[in-house]
Amino acid sequence: MKSRFILLAFLSIAAPLTRAHDGVHGPLEPVSPEAEALIHTAPGAPSPGEPRIADGADTATLRLRVVDAATGDPTFCRVNVIGPDGHYYEPDAHLLRPWSLHRLGNRKEKGPFRYYGWFFYCDGDESIRVPAGTATIEVWKGLEYRPVRESITLEASAARDVTVSIARTLDMAAEGWFSGDPHIHLNRRNAAEEERALDLVAAEDIRYGFLLGMNDARTFNGVPADQEWPQLRGMGESSEVWRGAHGVSSGYEYRNSTFGHILLLMADDLVFKHQVLRVDEWPTFAEVAKEARRLHGVAFHAHGGYEKEIYADYIPGATDGVELLQFAVYRGIGLEGWRHILNAGFRFPAIGASDFPYCRALGDCRTYVRLGEDKSMRAWIDAAVAGHSFFTTGPMLELTVNGAGPGETLTVDSSVAEVAVSVRARSEVAPIREIQIIANGAIVERFAASPDRLPQDLTRQVSVPINGSTWIAARAHGEQVEGLPDAEAHTNPVYVLRNGEPITNADSVAWLLDRLDAQIAVIEALEDFPRKQDVLAYYQECRALLAARL
């Protein structure tokens, strides 16, 4: 029997799993073993399954073909095959074996907290040994395809051919929205590894995949081959390759413990090539971003900035934005810090990204940007820097204000007292419980949604009063277990400027000054190093610029 399946089996998990969490303030504390178990417990199953390889006489062979409903051709995808014993079976050898959930990924205590099973990635044709009896096939392909679940009977010592069709039911590209994961760690040393990267982004239907090398967080030597996750097929535009609708390019994550981590995307080459740096001392991320820009790249603070140098860099526009949504929560500065930055009058776009394989699944957090005729990697990054985007763990979230979308500016005169806000939220893979409309950091409208069925298609139109210049954004979120983050999406703002006046909020400026002062104190407390006074001078310069807004 075949059915579309909705993974809501955990709404009745016992009370010990519940915990306060609003998705605003960053990652959860360690969660219980029961919470971790729900990741691997199939709908209706009494207990979590385990990843296994089948052998012995009492097994059957499943010859699985997964096809795209639109073309009838085999398609890359994510697959679970559950045996009659409730365990998860995969081939003992296959092309994408290293990226099965129990080999890479599956970072414990991180969201999204939803059912994943013990999946393997598949090229659309695979042969799997499974214990005889009733087996279940589950197939996913990113966030726009409707997941499929099909039960079959397998006889011992026999083979059975099964074709599963999976359909794109949300065609976001047809509406101008294109998905990307700006934070993926995969080796790209040769053509074979490049092909595997394209396989994997196709399996999760990530149209724009950014593959990042990174340094040891304690040092940097500027030699491309010595980096972790080496990118040796070029960087930036020279590294852009496509297979059909899915493409990849190479970038870099520059890391240290003093200033944080930062994503350098679309730069023509490795920054500070062949230089040896003591990264915890110098350069600041403002200097790193300057070097990336010299190489035609952009710089986004990773992991919400870890609440470090990010509190200085947005002020002079030294960096381009922040990777905020990750592991289904808002990391580092969180929504609170980001909203204060916006309230203080700074345009500092946010993105979502997975940090694969240090997560649950490739692309489990991603960014959708709105593109025009130019569909290049450069155009995608430029749109992300402009804030023409939303970021999500599953829901598709679209916002307009008087017809303008995220990243756009509306100029109105003093006679305008309200604006027309339209929000549409759709989801195939994670149930939304609530939609919010946010104006200058405050929730001005909220709408409950029924999470008991998928797919969802929710639309709201409201009038939002404005009293001066205002930024407006939307958020959709939901939990399958109370307190454990799952469905999460947020737009970048639409900016409504009354008579051209800037957005400003003295309380937010004061809040941000306190955070920056705390970072200055951290630098002052470090042991002396050669460029310490230069670091402090930069932080104080940023502080003066921020204080001037009071």
Side-chain angles (χ1 to χ4, degrees):
M1 177 178 179
K2 185 174 182 178
S3 63
R4 304 293 189 188
F5 72 118
I6 302 170
L7 305 178
L8 303 178
F10 307 111
L11 287 169
S12 59
I13 295 290
L17 295 188
T18 63
R19 53 195 297 119
H21 179 70
D22 60 6
V24 173
H25 296 293
L28 292 164
E29 297 173 358
V31 299
S32 68
E34 293 83 4
E36 190 64 29
L38 72 85
I39 304 290
H40 312 295
T41 305
S47 60
E50 299 173 357
R52 293 190 174 178
I53 302 293
D55 56 19
D58 193 26
T59 61
T61 299
L62 168 62
R63 293 196 290 254
L64 176 64
R65 168 163 284 202
V66 180
V67 299
D68 190 309
T71 65
D73 296 328
T75 189
F76 287 92
C77 55
R78 171 161 44 102
V79 175
N80 281 327
V81 176
I82 309 171
D85 54 2
H87 296 302
Y88 295 82
Y89 291 87
E90 66 175 292
D92 57 0
H94 61 105
L95 186 68
L96 300 177
R97 185 175 191 267
W99 297 278
S100 299
L101 185 58
H102 65 290
R103 295 185 177 88
L104 283 176
N106 192 38
R107 191 172 185 182
K108 291 185 176 181
E109 299 175 348
K110 305 299 182 186
F113 279 88
R114 66 177 67 143
Y115 170 61
Y116 281 102
W118 288 103
F119 63 77
F120 63 92
Y121 286 114
C122 172
D123 65 1
D125 278 303
E126 203 57 77
S127 181
I128 308 108
R129 299 284 296 175
V130 188
T134 300
T136 302
I137 302 165
E138 299 170 339
V139 181
W140 292 263
K141 188 177 175 70
L143 307 181
E144 300 177 35
Y145 283 75
R146 187 164 297 170
V148 178
R149 193 177 212 232
E150 180 175 347
S151 295
I152 61 170
T153 300
L154 299 172
E155 297 181 3
S157 303
R160 180 171 176 181
D161 294 320
V162 176
T163 297
V164 174
S165 177
I166 188 165
R168 185 189 299 276
T169 46
L170 294 175
D171 192 347
M172 298 303 292
E175 300 175 25
W177 294 98
F178 293 82
S179 64
D181 188 341
H183 195 161
I184 301 170
H185 293 296
L186 290 170
N187 292 329
R188 194 184 184 195
R189 296 166 294 192
N190 52 51
E193 290 180 346
E194 185 172 276
E195 287 298 310
R196 296 297 76 75
L198 288 165
D199 294 345
L200 291 165
V201 297
E204 290 290 1
D205 194 35
I206 299 164
R207 292 180 179 265
Y208 293 76
F210 295 86
L211 313 181
L212 308 182
M214 66 186 186
N215 62 301
D216 184 308
R218 298 162 296 182
T219 188
F220 177 89
N221 70 359
V223 178
D226 290 348
Q227 307 309 304
E228 299 178 41
W229 307 104
Q231 305 295 305
L232 305 182
R233 305 276 287 173
M235 297 188 78
E237 290 185 19
S238 68
S239 70
E240 182 176 339
V241 297
W242 291 85
R243 186 203 292 156
H246 304 98
V248 296
S249 71
S250 288
Y252 196 73
E253 180 181 8
Y254 181 97
R255 311 186 302 158
N256 63 65
S257 59
T258 302
F259 309 117
H261 296 188
I262 196 163
L263 308 180
L264 309 177
L265 307 172
M266 296 307 294
D268 295 335
D269 206 343
L270 181 63
V271 292
F272 308 116
K273 200 167 184 178
H274 303 307
Q275 297 183 40
V276 177
L277 304 174
R278 298 178 66 173
V279 292
D280 280 341
E281 298 177 0
W282 187 265
T284 62
F285 280 172
E287 294 297 320
V288 175
K290 185 186 295 183
E291 174 68 2
R293 287 172 175 176
R294 185 184 70 80
L295 295 166
H296 308 109
V298 304
F300 280 83
H301 288 268
H303 320 306
Y306 281 142
E307 296 190 276
K308 296 187 176 185
E309 190 185 326
I310 189 173
Y311 280 127
D313 286 341
Y314 71 89
I315 299 166
T319 50
D320 296 290
V322 57
E323 173 191 77
L324 197 63
L325 181 63
Q326 200 164 71
F327 313 143
V329 294
Y330 299 99
R331 300 189 68 190
I333 62 172
L335 278 184
E336 182 180 26
W338 184 52
R339 289 172 177 175
H340 279 301
I341 290 171
L342 299 174
N343 282 353
F346 297 94
R347 298 198 179 192
F348 198 60
I351 58 175
S354 71
D355 196 13
F356 183 82
Y358 310 104
C359 59
R360 291 294 183 181
L362 175 61
D364 57 17
C365 293
R366 63 184 72 181
T367 301
Y368 277 78
V369 306
R370 194 169 189 88
L371 293 179
E373 291 298 318
D374 187 351
K375 304 297 193 300
S376 66
M377 289 276 182
R378 172 69 61 188
W380 195 96
I381 285 294
D382 287 347
V385 169
H388 300 314
S389 62
F390 66 87
F391 34 99
T392 182
T393 69
M396 303 294 113
L397 184 61
E398 297 170 84
L399 165 76
T400 61
V401 180
N402 283 6
E408 295 187 76
T409 300
L410 289 172
T411 300
V412 299
D413 60 35
S414 55
S415 67
V416 176
E418 61 183 28
V419 290
V421 176
S422 177
V423 177
R424 186 181 188 189
R426 292 172 283 174
S427 187
E428 292 285 351
V429 299
I432 300 164
R433 286 182 175 270
E434 184 179 73
I435 299 171
Q436 301 171 353
I437 296 173
I438 303 101
N440 285 352
I443 299 171
V444 294
E445 297 281 354
R446 61 200 320 159
F447 313 99
S450 175
D452 59 353
R453 65 181 61 187
L454 286 174
Q456 291 170 298
D457 189 345
L458 311 165
T459 303
R460 294 289 186 274
Q461 290 91 28
V462 298
S463 294
V464 172
I466 60 168
N467 181 21
S469 293
T470 307
W471 64 264
I472 297 173
R475 179 189 177 202
H477 68 96
E479 304 164 336
Q480 295 191 41
V481 178
E482 184 181 349
L484 296 179
D486 180 19
E488 189 65 56
H490 206 295
T491 72
N492 273 289
V494 178
Y495 301 92
V496 183
L497 303 185
R498 177 180 280 176
N499 296 326
E501 296 175 354
I503 295 168
T504 184
N505 181 294
D507 290 339
S508 287
V509 173
W511 189 95
L512 292 163
L513 282 169
D514 285 344
R515 280 11 184 227
L516 181 51
D517 285 341
Q519 288 306 303
I520 291 171
V522 168
I523 302 300
E524 289 176 334
L526 295 175
E527 293 184 6
D528 283 342
F529 55 88
R531 302 295 296 267
K532 182 176 180 178
Q533 293 308 310
D534 293 330
V535 175
L536 286 170
Y538 169 67
Y539 277 53
Q540 291 290 359
E541 177 186 345
C542 293
R543 191 190 192 283
L545 290 171
L546 180 60
R549 299 208 170 205
L550 289 174

